[in-house]
Amino acid sequence: MSLTEPRSTEAAAHSSTFLKITLPTLQEKKRNRVPISALTAYDYAMARLVDEASVDLVLVGDSLGMVMLGYESTLPVTMEEMLLCTRAVRRGVRRALLAADMPYASYHEDVQQGVRNALRFVKEAGTEAVKVEGGRNRVELVARLTDAEISVIGHLGLTPQSLHRMGGYRVQGKTLPAAEQLVEDALALETAGAALLVLEGVPREVAARITAELTIPTIGIGAGPECDGQILVLHDLLNLSFAPAAKFVRRYADVASQIRNAVEAYRKDVETRSFPNDAESYHLSAETRGSFARAGATRAAVAPAAIRQPRKA
Ligand code: KIV
């Protein structure tokens, strides 16, 4: 017998009525100027909720290192950590396109290493695309991955894996040469075969021009409203990331406060013995209860608890 409630019929209905989102679906959205919604997820439960809310693209971002694992940056995240989380997310996502970040040092040695690790995401975790950070320096890798039937999402602008080179998490492309460079990088990634492009922390005007020049969809984060789609880190949107919100983050819920309040209420209920109550307890049948109580009374009469000897080991 199961001790839990059956799964919601709402979720069951969701999985039987959706139209699966694919890369061509996202291309079509760009052509028809229909905005693309994207969010990160790192575990099964959140992935299910995000998918059931009909978000188009779920990304297992290497931001998981910061929001789930408590690292200071994304740099320490390993392939094994990414794969573990991506497999969990895969089990929760049915409708959305599922992509995962290639973590730092999983493609930085050479193209062969990048292809080998990207194949692991597809074969071991069931992703439909992988994301790599960088511009012209990733063109060869993007072309090789595309050749190997691995769809690639590029990532330009504020690329967190370049934290030390950038000297912090700073908006990129603010000068004319830097802005032109971003446009060139974007075009080079598209020509190499990238299927989508994330633009993070770049001026709105630059993201708007890149979006207009590319045929592939752009997904912005801190890149203004003209991008073909938007992505946020789920934990930022929910206020679960323990960090002050960046300018581009809109908080849609304060889940941290809700969890804190719920856990505090639980602790108080335990301490005052108001949890669990009778309705939250299992019971013997009336018949067994009577016999059990009589047996207990007999034992207590023969050897009261206070004088019973502890058992020998
Ligand atoms: O790691 C991540 O979550 C990302 C998104 C913010 C685009 O790269």
Side-chain angles (χ1 to χ4, degrees):
M1 187 188 76
S2 167
L3 298 180
T4 56
E5 292 296 314
R7 290 225 168 139
S8 82
T9 49
E10 213 174 274
H14 162 81
S15 59
S16 60
T17 55
F18 62 72
L19 205 65
K20 172 80 182 97
I21 301 290
T22 61
L23 284 165
T25 320
L26 301 184
Q27 277 286 351
E28 197 181 324
K29 284 197 168 210
K30 175 171 177 117
R31 275 196 301 277
N32 296 331
R33 298 183 182 280
V34 177
I36 297 165
S37 56
L39 272 178
T40 64
Y42 316 103
D43 63 16
Y44 171 76
M46 292 292 187
R48 272 194 70 141
L49 294 173
V50 169
D51 195 52
E52 285 169 21
S54 299
V55 162
D56 295 317
L57 165 66
V58 173
L59 172 73
V60 185
D62 60 355
S63 50
L64 76 84
M66 297 171 80
V67 300
M68 298 292 288
L69 305 178
Y71 296 151
E72 295 264 309
S73 75
T74 60
L75 298 180
V77 176
T78 64
M79 275 296 293
E80 299 315 318
E81 288 164 344
M82 287 300 304
L83 287 169
L84 179 78
C85 293
T86 306
R87 284 193 290 263
V89 171
R90 176 69 287 171
R91 291 188 281 270
V93 170
R94 305 218 166 145
R95 173 186 177 274
L97 187 94
L98 176 63
D101 266 343
M102 303 267 304
Y104 180 62
S106 70
Y107 58 100
H108 297 74
E109 287 176 19
D110 52 37
V111 169
Q112 287 71 20
Q113 183 210 23
V115 174
R116 218 172 26 249
N117 282 321
L119 284 168
R120 291 192 68 193
F121 275 104
V122 177
K123 291 193 71 81
E124 297 175 31
T127 59
E128 293 151 83
V130 296
K131 178 162 78 59
V132 296
E133 297 184 6
R136 282 151 312 141
N137 56 338
R138 299 291 168 236
V139 159
E140 194 190 341
L141 175 63
V142 171
R144 286 285 304 280
L145 292 175
T146 308
D147 262 2
E149 311 300 346
I150 302 169
S151 299
V152 186
I153 304 179
H155 185 160
L156 286 176
L158 192 171
T159 45
Q161 293 175 8
S162 323
L163 170 65
H164 299 308
R165 181 174 51 73
M166 294 182 303
Y169 298 109
R170 299 173 197 286
V171 175
Q172 302 292 301
K174 286 169 84 173
T175 63
L176 184 58
E180 291 297 347
Q181 187 64 71
L182 280 177
V183 178
E184 291 305 316
D185 281 343
L187 289 166
L189 289 172
E190 173 172 277
T191 306
L196 291 175
L197 180 64
V198 167
L199 293 171
E200 177 168 0
V202 302
R204 173 178 179 173
E205 298 77 10
V206 179
R209 187 166 135 211
I210 292 173
T211 302
E213 291 203 17
L214 295 190
T215 60
I216 58 171
T218 60
I219 311 288
I221 171 165
E226 283 84 11
C227 294
D228 297 306
Q230 298 292 330
I231 186 164
L232 280 178
V233 168
L234 179 64
H235 289 56
D236 287 342
L237 167 160
L238 297 176
N239 190 23
L240 259 183
S241 50
F242 303 96
K247 179 190 174 98
F248 58 80
V249 170
R250 190 177 293 178
R251 299 263 201 231
Y252 285 86
D254 186 0
V255 173
S257 299
Q258 287 184 329
I259 292 178
R260 246 185 233 114
N261 293 342
V263 172
E264 232 173 87
Y266 163 76
R267 177 183 57 76
K268 283 182 186 152
D269 284 353
V270 169
E271 287 172 0
T272 56
R273 292 193 189 281
S274 70
F275 174 81
N277 62 24
D278 190 57
E280 289 155 340
S281 308
Y282 296 106
H283 290 282
L284 291 172
S285 67
E287 189 192 338
T288 312
R289 192 159 58 230
S291 317
F292 190 66
R294 282 191 293 281
T298 310
R299 274 167 67 93
V302 174
I307 60 163
R308 267 203 306 270
Q309 298 297 313
R311 285 181 196 214
K312 294 227 166 73

